[in-house]
Amino acid sequence: MKKFLVSTFIALLTLSSVTISTASHAQQMTLQQAMDQLQQAKANGWVGEQPNGYLGVVEQTATAQQIAERINEARRQEYTRIAEENDIAVADVELLAGKRAIERSASGHFIKVDGQWRKKP
């Protein structure tokens, strides 16, 4: 009986750690994974470029949210680095990056104009 309880406990522990590991894996996306999925997410209309230099979520999905979060974290770090190197405000770097990102967005991808999501002509 003791052996059965120990075996059952170990099995449950193993199962719960697999479940936790799988759940956290589903919730976590690396920057590389986000970058690999970015163009498709833009083509699908899930994310778009904003004038503030960051991606915005157009269609609320867990994947879109994760892509935007990971890429925006990396962008924020890069904007901060550029601002510090050039002794300028991070907000100035963000605005310039946003302008460039919108200009470079492909036709049919979403961009935010005057607070509204629109497909770029």
Side-chain angles (χ1 to χ4, degrees), residues 104-117:
R104 293 177 180 170
S105 289
S107 178
H109 288 187
F110 279 93
I111 57 173
K112 199 169 230 183
V113 179
D114 296 327
Q116 301 294 316
W117 287 113

Side-chain angles (χ1 to χ4, degrees), residues 23-121:
S24 77
H25 178 69
Q27 291 175 354
Q28 296 299 317
M29 179 182 289
T30 66
L31 176 58
Q32 186 60 53
Q33 290 169 325
M35 290 173 64
D36 291 345
Q37 295 181 45
L38 179 59
Q39 290 308 311
Q40 189 61 49
K42 285 182 173 184
N44 290 343
W46 296 349
V47 298
E49 294 292 347
Q50 302 180 100
N52 65 2
Y54 297 99
L55 286 175
V57 176
V58 179
E59 185 177 317
Q60 290 293 332
T61 67
T63 300
Q65 188 66 38
Q66 287 182 41
I67 290 169
E69 286 174 4
R70 295 300 164 270
I71 291 176
N72 286 343
E73 287 171 12
R75 286 183 180 185
R76 189 171 294 106
Q77 290 174 358
E78 185 64 8
Y79 298 160
T80 300
R81 184 192 65 75
I82 291 168
E84 288 172 356
E85 280 183 7
N86 293 284
D87 197 29
I88 58 176
V90 174
D92 292 337
V93 177
E94 292 169 336
L95 291 176
L96 181 58
K99 181 179 180 208
R100 286 185 182 166
I102 287 173
E103 289 170 354
R104 293 177 180 170
S105 289
S107 178
H109 288 187
F110 279 93
I111 57 173
K112 199 169 230 183
V113 179
D114 296 327
Q116 301 294 316
W117 287 113
R118 299 188 179 143
K119 281 191 176 184
K120 186 172 180 184

Side-chain angles (χ1 to χ4, degrees), residues 11-27:
L12 288 173
L13 194 58
T14 304
L15 179 61
S16 66
S17 67
V18 168
T19 304
I20 291 167
S21 159
T22 304
S24 77
H25 178 69
Q27 291 175 354

